[in-house]
PDB file of all heavy atoms in Angstrom:
ATOM      1  N   PRO Z 284      28.121  35.943 -33.563  1.00 84.00           N
ATOM      2  CA  PRO Z 284      28.802  34.922 -34.366  1.00 84.00           C
ATOM      3  C   PRO Z 284      30.037  34.339 -33.713  1.00 84.00           C
ATOM      4  O   PRO Z 284      30.341  33.149 -33.851  1.00 84.00           O
ATOM      5  CB  PRO Z 284      29.151  35.683 -35.652  1.00 84.00           C
ATOM      6  CG  PRO Z 284      28.063  36.697 -35.781  1.00 84.00           C
ATOM      7  CD  PRO Z 284      27.775  37.131 -34.365  1.00 84.00           C
ATOM      8  N   SER Z 285      30.773  35.175 -32.944  1.00 87.00           N
ATOM      9  CA  SER Z 285      31.952  34.657 -32.242  1.00 87.00           C
ATOM     10  C   SER Z 285      31.530  33.667 -31.152  1.00 87.00           C
ATOM     11  O   SER Z 285      32.256  32.682 -30.874  1.00 87.00           O
ATOM     12  CB  SER Z 285      32.786  35.782 -31.658  1.00 87.00           C
ATOM     13  OG  SER Z 285      32.026  36.522 -30.697  1.00 87.00           O
ATOM     14  N   ASP Z 286      30.389  33.909 -30.503  1.00 89.00           N
ATOM     15  CA  ASP Z 286      29.903  32.981 -29.486  1.00 89.00           C
ATOM     16  C   ASP Z 286      29.561  31.632 -30.151  1.00 89.00           C
ATOM     17  O   ASP Z 286      29.822  30.569 -29.612  1.00 89.00           O
ATOM     18  CB  ASP Z 286      28.662  33.534 -28.793  1.00 89.00           C
ATOM     19  CG  ASP Z 286      28.987  34.725 -27.912  1.00 89.00           C
ATOM     20  OD1 ASP Z 286      30.065  34.731 -27.316  1.00 89.00           O
ATOM     21  OD2 ASP Z 286      28.158  35.661 -27.847  1.00 89.00           O
ATOM     22  N   PHE Z 287      28.950  31.689 -31.341  1.00 86.00           N
ATOM     23  CA  PHE Z 287      28.638  30.463 -32.070  1.00 86.00           C
ATOM     24  C   PHE Z 287      29.902  29.716 -32.435  1.00 86.00           C
ATOM     25  O   PHE Z 287      29.972  28.502 -32.345  1.00 86.00           O
ATOM     26  CB  PHE Z 287      27.819  30.785 -33.316  1.00 86.00           C
ATOM     27  CG  PHE Z 287      26.361  31.023 -33.060  1.00 86.00           C
ATOM     28  CD1 PHE Z 287      25.851  32.301 -32.985  1.00 86.00           C
ATOM     29  CD2 PHE Z 287      25.488  29.965 -32.897  1.00 86.00           C
ATOM     30  CE1 PHE Z 287      24.512  32.527 -32.738  1.00 86.00           C
ATOM     31  CE2 PHE Z 287      24.153  30.170 -32.646  1.00 86.00           C
ATOM     32  CZ  PHE Z 287      23.655  31.454 -32.567  1.00 86.00           C
ATOM     33  N   TYR Z 288      30.906  30.462 -32.861  1.00 86.00           N
ATOM     34  CA  TYR Z 288      32.182  29.835 -33.251  1.00 86.00           C
ATOM     35  C   TYR Z 288      32.816  29.137 -32.053  1.00 86.00           C
ATOM     36  O   TYR Z 288      33.300  27.993 -32.164  1.00 86.00           O
ATOM     37  CB  TYR Z 288      33.127  30.862 -33.829  1.00 86.00           C
ATOM     38  CG  TYR Z 288      34.501  30.293 -34.150  1.00 86.00           C
ATOM     39  CD1 TYR Z 288      34.675  29.466 -35.268  1.00 86.00           C
ATOM     40  CD2 TYR Z 288      35.593  30.561 -33.337  1.00 86.00           C
ATOM     41  CE1 TYR Z 288      35.929  28.939 -35.542  1.00 86.00           C
ATOM     42  CE2 TYR Z 288      36.829  30.024 -33.602  1.00 86.00           C
ATOM     43  CZ  TYR Z 288      37.004  29.212 -34.714  1.00 86.00           C
ATOM     44  OH  TYR Z 288      38.228  28.668 -34.983  1.00 86.00           O
ATOM     45  N   ARG Z 289      32.812  29.798 -30.904  1.00 88.00           N
ATOM     46  CA  ARG Z 289      33.395  29.190 -29.700  1.00 88.00           C
ATOM     47  C   ARG Z 289      32.631  27.909 -29.340  1.00 88.00           C
ATOM     48  O   ARG Z 289      33.225  26.917 -28.910  1.00 88.00           O
ATOM     49  CB  ARG Z 289      33.342  30.182 -28.535  1.00 88.00           C
ATOM     50  CG  ARG Z 289      34.387  31.302 -28.653  1.00 88.00           C
ATOM     51  CD  ARG Z 289      34.179  32.355 -27.556  1.00 88.00           C
ATOM     52  NE  ARG Z 289      34.144  31.766 -26.239  1.00 88.00           N
ATOM     53  CZ  ARG Z 289      35.223  31.459 -25.523  1.00 88.00           C
ATOM     54  NH1 ARG Z 289      36.426  31.677 -26.045  1.00 88.00           N
ATOM     55  NH2 ARG Z 289      35.113  30.937 -24.332  1.00 88.00           N
ATOM     56  N   ALA Z 290      31.323  27.935 -29.504  1.00 88.00           N
ATOM     57  CA  ALA Z 290      30.540  26.728 -29.220  1.00 88.00           C
ATOM     58  C   ALA Z 290      30.856  25.610 -30.220  1.00 88.00           C
ATOM     59  O   ALA Z 290      30.898  24.435 -29.846  1.00 88.00           O
ATOM     60  CB  ALA Z 290      29.054  27.055 -29.266  1.00 88.00           C
ATOM     61  N   MET Z 291      31.141  25.981 -31.466  1.00 85.00           N
ATOM     62  CA  MET Z 291      31.450  24.980 -32.485  1.00 85.00           C
ATOM     63  C   MET Z 291      32.757  24.254 -32.175  1.00 85.00           C
ATOM     64  O   MET Z 291      32.868  23.051 -32.429  1.00 85.00           O
ATOM     65  CB  MET Z 291      31.534  25.625 -33.866  1.00 85.00           C
ATOM     66  CG  MET Z 291      30.190  26.091 -34.425  1.00 85.00           C
ATOM     67  SD  MET Z 291      30.371  27.011 -35.976  1.00 85.00           S
ATOM     68  CE  MET Z 291      31.107  25.779 -37.030  1.00 85.00           C
ATOM     69  N   ILE Z 292      33.741  24.972 -31.630  1.00 85.00           N
ATOM     70  CA  ILE Z 292      35.031  24.361 -31.346  1.00 85.00           C
ATOM     71  C   ILE Z 292      35.112  23.832 -29.926  1.00 85.00           C
ATOM     72  O   ILE Z 292      36.175  23.380 -29.479  1.00 85.00           O
ATOM     73  CB  ILE Z 292      36.182  25.359 -31.600  1.00 85.00           C
ATOM     74  CG1 ILE Z 292      36.092  26.560 -30.668  1.00 85.00           C
ATOM     75  CG2 ILE Z 292      36.161  25.814 -33.058  1.00 85.00           C
ATOM     76  CD1 ILE Z 292      37.266  27.522 -30.799  1.00 85.00           C
ATOM     77  N   GLY Z 293      34.005  23.892 -29.177  1.00 85.00           N
ATOM     78  CA  GLY Z 293      33.984  23.356 -27.828  1.00 85.00           C
ATOM     79  C   GLY Z 293      34.575  24.253 -26.776  1.00 85.00           C
ATOM     80  O   GLY Z 293      34.853  23.792 -25.663  1.00 85.00           O
ATOM     81  N   ALA Z 294      34.759  25.522 -27.091  1.00 89.00           N
ATOM     82  CA  ALA Z 294      35.332  26.465 -26.119  1.00 89.00           C
ATOM     83  C   ALA Z 294      34.295  27.264 -25.386  1.00 89.00           C
ATOM     84  O   ALA Z 294      34.624  28.137 -24.574  1.00 89.00           O
ATOM     85  CB  ALA Z 294      36.297  27.422 -26.847  1.00 89.00           C
ATOM     86  N   GLY Z 295      33.028  26.982 -25.620  1.00 88.00           N
ATOM     87  CA  GLY Z 295      31.939  27.711 -24.971  1.00 88.00           C
ATOM     88  C   GLY Z 295      30.620  27.037 -25.285  1.00 88.00           C
ATOM     89  O   GLY Z 295      30.580  25.957 -25.893  1.00 88.00           O
ATOM     90  N   SER Z 296      29.554  27.682 -24.890  1.00 88.00           N
ATOM     91  CA  SER Z 296      28.233  27.136 -25.132  1.00 88.00           C
ATOM     92  C   SER Z 296      27.246  28.267 -25.392  1.00 88.00           C
ATOM     93  O   SER Z 296      27.361  29.345 -24.782  1.00 88.00           O
ATOM     94  CB  SER Z 296      27.758  26.304 -23.934  1.00 88.00           C
ATOM     95  OG  SER Z 296      26.409  25.876 -24.099  1.00 88.00           O
ATOM     96  N   VAL Z 297      26.306  28.027 -26.273  1.00 90.00           N
ATOM     97  CA  VAL Z 297      25.193  28.973 -26.505  1.00 90.00           C
ATOM     98  C   VAL Z 297      23.861  28.327 -26.180  1.00 90.00           C
ATOM     99  O   VAL Z 297      22.823  28.834 -26.565  1.00 90.00           O
ATOM    100  CB  VAL Z 297      25.207  29.491 -27.961  1.00 90.00           C
ATOM    101  CG1 VAL Z 297      26.410  30.389 -28.239  1.00 90.00           C
ATOM    102  CG2 VAL Z 297      25.156  28.341 -28.950  1.00 90.00           C
ATOM    103  N   GLN Z 298      23.903  27.209 -25.480  1.00 88.00           N
ATOM    104  CA  GLN Z 298      22.668  26.505 -25.140  1.00 88.00           C
ATOM    105  C   GLN Z 298      21.762  27.426 -24.308  1.00 88.00           C
ATOM    106  O   GLN Z 298      22.139  27.977 -23.298  1.00 88.00           O
ATOM    107  CB  GLN Z 298      22.989  25.246 -24.343  1.00 88.00           C
ATOM    108  CG  GLN Z 298      21.771  24.446 -23.916  1.00 88.00           C
ATOM    109  CD  GLN Z 298      21.233  23.552 -25.032  1.00 88.00           C
ATOM    110  OE1 GLN Z 298      21.351  23.893 -26.180  1.00 88.00           O
ATOM    111  NE2 GLN Z 298      20.656  22.433 -24.654  1.00 88.00           N
ATOM    112  N   TYR Z 299      20.538  27.600 -24.815  1.00 89.00           N
ATOM    113  CA  TYR Z 299      19.494  28.441 -24.195  1.00 89.00           C
ATOM    114  C   TYR Z 299      19.862  29.910 -24.182  1.00 89.00           C
ATOM    115  O   TYR Z 299      19.224  30.691 -23.455  1.00 89.00           O
ATOM    116  CB  TYR Z 299      19.175  27.944 -22.778  1.00 89.00           C
ATOM    117  CG  TYR Z 299      18.422  26.637 -22.752  1.00 89.00           C
ATOM    118  CD1 TYR Z 299      18.264  25.911 -21.577  1.00 89.00           C
ATOM    119  CD2 TYR Z 299      17.890  26.073 -23.906  1.00 89.00           C
ATOM    120  CE1 TYR Z 299      17.561  24.715 -21.541  1.00 89.00           C
ATOM    121  CE2 TYR Z 299      17.216  24.872 -23.899  1.00 89.00           C
ATOM    122  CZ  TYR Z 299      17.052  24.208 -22.715  1.00 89.00           C
ATOM    123  OH  TYR Z 299      16.367  23.009 -22.694  1.00 89.00           O
ATOM    124  N   ARG Z 300      20.868  30.296 -24.953  1.00 91.00           N
ATOM    125  CA  ARG Z 300      21.174  31.715 -25.110  1.00 91.00           C
ATOM    126  C   ARG Z 300      20.163  32.334 -26.061  1.00 91.00           C
ATOM    127  O   ARG Z 300      19.659  31.704 -26.987  1.00 91.00           O
ATOM    128  CB  ARG Z 300      22.583  31.897 -25.687  1.00 91.00           C
ATOM    129  CG  ARG Z 300      23.737  31.640 -24.750  1.00 91.00           C
ATOM    130  CD  ARG Z 300      24.006  32.801 -23.818  1.00 91.00           C
ATOM    131  NE  ARG Z 300      24.366  34.012 -24.515  1.00 91.00           N
ATOM    132  CZ  ARG Z 300      25.617  34.328 -24.872  1.00 91.00           C
ATOM    133  NH1 ARG Z 300      26.620  33.497 -24.612  1.00 91.00           N
ATOM    134  NH2 ARG Z 300      25.868  35.490 -25.475  1.00 91.00           N
ATOM    135  N   ARG Z 301      19.881  33.593 -25.872  1.00 91.00           N
ATOM    136  CA  ARG Z 301      19.053  34.340 -26.811  1.00 91.00           C
ATOM    137  C   ARG Z 301      19.913  34.728 -28.005  1.00 91.00           C
ATOM    138  O   ARG Z 301      21.099  35.012 -27.866  1.00 91.00           O
ATOM    139  CB  ARG Z 301      18.507  35.597 -26.141  1.00 91.00           C
ATOM    140  CG  ARG Z 301      17.688  36.484 -27.068  1.00 91.00           C
ATOM    141  CD  ARG Z 301      17.014  37.619 -26.322  1.00 91.00           C
ATOM    142  NE  ARG Z 301      16.528  38.622 -27.248  1.00 91.00           N
ATOM    143  CZ  ARG Z 301      17.074  39.806 -27.458  1.00 91.00           C
ATOM    144  NH1 ARG Z 301      18.166  40.149 -26.799  1.00 91.00           N
ATOM    145  NH2 ARG Z 301      16.579  40.646 -28.348  1.00 91.00           N
ATOM    146  N   ALA Z 302      19.318  34.720 -29.193  1.00 91.00           N
ATOM    147  CA  ALA Z 302      20.045  35.089 -30.403  1.00 91.00           C
ATOM    148  C   ALA Z 302      19.078  35.774 -31.371  1.00 91.00           C
ATOM    149  O   ALA Z 302      17.876  35.460 -31.393  1.00 91.00           O
ATOM    150  CB  ALA Z 302      20.692  33.888 -31.069  1.00 91.00           C
ATOM    151  N   VAL Z 303      19.612  36.666 -32.157  1.00 91.00           N
ATOM    152  CA  VAL Z 303      18.872  37.326 -33.210  1.00 91.00           C
ATOM    153  C   VAL Z 303      19.525  36.964 -34.522  1.00 91.00           C
ATOM    154  O   VAL Z 303      20.727  37.220 -34.734  1.00 91.00           O
ATOM    155  CB  VAL Z 303      18.869  38.866 -33.027  1.00 91.00           C
ATOM    156  CG1 VAL Z 303      18.096  39.525 -34.169  1.00 91.00           C
ATOM    157  CG2 VAL Z 303      18.254  39.222 -31.673  1.00 91.00           C
ATOM    158  N   VAL Z 304      18.758  36.326 -35.413  1.00 88.00           N
ATOM    159  CA  VAL Z 304      19.312  35.788 -36.660  1.00 88.00           C
ATOM    160  C   VAL Z 304      18.518  36.311 -37.848  1.00 88.00           C
ATOM    161  O   VAL Z 304      17.288  36.216 -37.892  1.00 88.00           O
ATOM    162  CB  VAL Z 304      19.248  34.238 -36.646  1.00 88.00           C
ATOM    163  CG1 VAL Z 304      19.683  33.676 -38.003  1.00 88.00           C
ATOM    164  CG2 VAL Z 304      20.100  33.675 -35.525  1.00 88.00           C
ATOM    165  N   ALA Z 305      19.240  36.885 -38.799  1.00 86.00           N
ATOM    166  CA  ALA Z 305      18.602  37.301 -40.053  1.00 86.00           C
ATOM    167  C   ALA Z 305      18.393  36.067 -40.924  1.00 86.00           C
ATOM    168  O   ALA Z 305      19.291  35.248 -41.097  1.00 86.00           O
ATOM    169  CB  ALA Z 305      19.508  38.311 -40.783  1.00 86.00           C
ATOM    170  N   CYS Z 306      17.203  35.950 -41.469  1.00 86.00           N
ATOM    171  CA  CYS Z 306      16.846  34.760 -42.256  1.00 86.00           C
ATOM    172  C   CYS Z 306      16.088  35.187 -43.481  1.00 86.00           C
ATOM    173  O   CYS Z 306      14.921  35.584 -43.398  1.00 86.00           O
ATOM    174  CB  CYS Z 306      16.022  33.828 -41.369  1.00 86.00           C
ATOM    175  SG  CYS Z 306      15.883  32.157 -42.017  1.00 86.00           S
ATOM    176  N   HIS Z 307      16.755  35.161 -44.660  1.00 85.00           N
ATOM    177  CA  HIS Z 307      16.149  35.692 -45.886  1.00 85.00           C
ATOM    178  C   HIS Z 307      16.301  34.726 -47.075  1.00 85.00           C
ATOM    179  O   HIS Z 307      16.758  35.117 -48.143  1.00 85.00           O
ATOM    180  CB  HIS Z 307      16.800  37.032 -46.249  1.00 85.00           C
ATOM    181  CG  HIS Z 307      16.804  38.034 -45.140  1.00 85.00           C
ATOM    182  ND1 HIS Z 307      15.649  38.656 -44.704  1.00 85.00           N
ATOM    183  CD2 HIS Z 307      17.809  38.497 -44.361  1.00 85.00           C
ATOM    184  CE1 HIS Z 307      15.953  39.494 -43.714  1.00 85.00           C
ATOM    185  NE2 HIS Z 307      17.253  39.397 -43.484  1.00 85.00           N
ATOM    186  N   PRO Z 308      15.921  33.473 -46.905  1.00 83.00           N
ATOM    187  CA  PRO Z 308      16.045  32.554 -48.049  1.00 83.00           C
ATOM    188  C   PRO Z 308      14.920  32.701 -49.082  1.00 83.00           C
ATOM    189  O   PRO Z 308      15.007  32.151 -50.167  1.00 83.00           O
ATOM    190  CB  PRO Z 308      15.974  31.175 -47.389  1.00 83.00           C
ATOM    191  CG  PRO Z 308      15.124  31.408 -46.165  1.00 83.00           C
ATOM    192  CD  PRO Z 308      15.464  32.778 -45.703  1.00 83.00           C
ATOM    193  N   GLY Z 309      13.856  33.432 -48.731  1.00 84.00           N
ATOM    194  CA  GLY Z 309      12.732  33.584 -49.648  1.00 84.00           C
ATOM    195  C   GLY Z 309      11.788  32.401 -49.589  1.00 84.00           C
ATOM    196  O   GLY Z 309      11.496  31.862 -48.514  1.00 84.00           O
ATOM    197  N   ARG Z 310      11.283  31.997 -50.755  1.00 86.00           N
ATOM    198  CA  ARG Z 310      10.386  30.835 -50.799  1.00 86.00           C
ATOM    199  C   ARG Z 310      11.203  29.572 -50.571  1.00 86.00           C
ATOM    200  O   ARG Z 310      12.162  29.299 -51.299  1.00 86.00           O
ATOM    201  CB  ARG Z 310       9.680  30.768 -52.151  1.00 86.00           C
ATOM    202  CG  ARG Z 310       8.589  29.694 -52.224  1.00 86.00           C
ATOM    203  CD  ARG Z 310       7.994  29.656 -53.628  1.00 86.00           C
ATOM    204  NE  ARG Z 310       7.378  30.903 -53.979  1.00 86.00           N
ATOM    205  CZ  ARG Z 310       6.090  31.176 -53.788  1.00 86.00           C
ATOM    206  NH1 ARG Z 310       5.295  30.258 -53.276  1.00 86.00           N
ATOM    207  NH2 ARG Z 310       5.591  32.350 -54.123  1.00 86.00           N
ATOM    208  N   VAL Z 311      10.827  28.785 -49.570  1.00 84.00           N
ATOM    209  CA  VAL Z 311      11.664  27.637 -49.197  1.00 84.00           C
ATOM    210  C   VAL Z 311      10.828  26.386 -48.993  1.00 84.00           C
ATOM    211  O   VAL Z 311       9.625  26.435 -48.725  1.00 84.00           O
ATOM    212  CB  VAL Z 311      12.424  27.919 -47.861  1.00 84.00           C
ATOM    213  CG1 VAL Z 311      13.462  29.004 -48.063  1.00 84.00           C
ATOM    214  CG2 VAL Z 311      11.474  28.266 -46.736  1.00 84.00           C
ATOM    215  N   THR Z 312      11.522  25.267 -49.147  1.00 85.00           N
ATOM    216  CA  THR Z 312      10.992  23.966 -48.734  1.00 85.00           C
ATOM    217  C   THR Z 312      11.565  23.694 -47.347  1.00 85.00           C
ATOM    218  O   THR Z 312      12.733  23.940 -47.095  1.00 85.00           O
ATOM    219  CB  THR Z 312      11.447  22.887 -49.698  1.00 85.00           C
ATOM    220  OG1 THR Z 312      10.956  23.162 -50.999  1.00 85.00           O
ATOM    221  CG2 THR Z 312      10.934  21.507 -49.263  1.00 85.00           C
ATOM    222  N   PRO Z 313      10.749  23.222 -46.417  1.00 88.00           N
ATOM    223  CA  PRO Z 313      11.259  23.002 -45.044  1.00 88.00           C
ATOM    224  C   PRO Z 313      12.471  22.082 -45.047  1.00 88.00           C
ATOM    225  O   PRO Z 313      12.542  21.092 -45.793  1.00 88.00           O
ATOM    226  CB  PRO Z 313      10.069  22.339 -44.337  1.00 88.00           C
ATOM    227  CG  PRO Z 313       8.875  22.838 -45.086  1.00 88.00           C
ATOM    228  CD  PRO Z 313       9.299  22.940 -46.531  1.00 88.00           C
TER     229      PRO Z 313
END
Side-chain angles (χ1 to χ4, degrees):
S285 62
D286 292 324
F287 280 100
Y288 175 75
R289 286 173 53 83
M291 289 174 62
I292 63 175
S296 174
V297 292
Q298 180 81 330
Y299 289 169
R300 286 280 299 273
R301 177 173 167 255
V303 179
V304 174
C306 196
H307 307 289
R310 187 183 298 268
V311 293
T312 300

